[in-house]
Amino acid sequence: MPQPHELPSLIDRLDRLSEWLGRSLSWLVLLMMLIQFLIVVLRYAFSVNSIPMQESVMYMHATVFMLAAAYTLRHDGHVRVDIFYRAMPVKRKALVDLLGHLFLLMPVMIFVILVSLGYVGKSWRILEGSPDSGGIPGVFLLKTLIPLFAGLMLLQGLVEAWRNVLVMTGRIAPKEEEEHHEEHL
């Protein structure tokens, strides 16, 4: 039987994948800031403009935003209007989260995957590139982030749903609430 905070093996591996991916992608934020700083310096100090550098910032931003969303879900960092949720007992919170994952998150992510596959497939067939001369010839890769995002969210949604079932049945203790989720007056 799992320990109080331990998830079953497959679920734990999927959970750790989201954690690893989110932490790894955080380095892109630093790189993005450095490149953006370089773009500004080159433009205003030397009157040099680089379309590939500007597009690379957009590509990195999209990558971080799309692929780290599952990490955000894992850490309960998404936006929540919790007027009633905050005061609920732990098992009721787990039920609300479970229902949200099953009936809101998962259907929307399945819809995103289904709708985006044709769009991404067309882009891959023509190996779509930048509309700007000298831009990055990888728009098809950028568009591929859409179904990847939805797939990662779906996997993390399954992890969170299973975690909530285990919390509701008392098989694991809930994740401890982090300080940054509390209101500070």
Side-chain angles (χ1 to χ4, degrees):
M1 183 159 186
Q3 296 299 320
H5 292 287
E6 189 177 313
L7 292 171
S9 180
L10 174 62
I11 301 296
D12 184 54
R13 280 186 289 204
L14 291 173
D15 201 33
R16 284 187 283 135
L17 171 67
S18 289
E19 182 70 24
W20 174 83
L21 190 57
R23 288 182 181 274
S24 299
L25 288 168
S26 69
W27 288 100
L28 273 182
V29 175
L30 178 61
L31 182 60
M32 199 169 41
M33 288 184 338
L34 292 172
I35 292 173
Q36 187 63 54
F37 175 76
L38 186 58
I39 289 168
V40 170
V41 169
L42 288 174
R43 179 179 292 157
Y44 294 107
F46 303 104
S47 296
V48 173
N49 188 22
S50 172
I51 291 172
M53 284 176 63
Q54 289 175 341
E55 285 188 1
S56 73
V57 170
M58 178 188 65
Y59 275 59
M60 286 184 278
H61 183 262
T63 301
V64 169
F65 183 81
M66 298 294 271
L67 299 186
Y71 172 86
T72 303
L73 179 62
R74 181 186 188 281
H75 288 280
D76 202 23
H78 55 282
V79 175
R80 178 196 314 266
V81 179
D82 63 354
I83 297 168
F84 303 109
Y85 183 87
R86 181 180 321 159
M88 289 181 183
V90 171
K91 289 187 179 186
R92 181 145 321 140
K93 285 181 182 180
L95 177 62
V96 168
D97 289 341
L98 174 64
L99 294 175
H101 290 108
L102 292 177
F103 296 112
L104 296 173
L105 176 74
M106 290 183 194
V108 169
M109 291 303 115
I110 291 168
F111 176 76
V112 169
I113 290 170
L114 294 175
V115 168
S116 70
L117 288 179
Y119 175 71
V120 173
K122 287 177 188 174
S123 186
W124 271 87
R125 277 192 289 285
I126 63 170
L127 296 176
E128 185 177 2
S130 174
D132 295 320
S133 178
I136 298 173
V139 172
F140 64 99
L141 296 171
L142 192 61
K143 289 182 178 181
T144 302
L145 293 174
I146 299 168
L148 280 175
F149 150 76
L152 290 169
M153 287 293 287
L154 200 55
L155 287 175
Q156 190 62 38
L158 289 169
V159 169
E160 296 304 321
W162 188 249
R163 183 187 329 269
N164 287 310
V165 166
L166 294 176
V167 168
M168 288 170 31
T169 59
R171 292 180 52 202
I172 65 168
K175 291 191 283 188
E176 294 186 27
E177 294 195 24
E178 300 179 28
E179 285 184 34
H180 66 276
H181 289 285
E182 296 175 8
E183 284 186 21
H184 297 286
L185 299 175

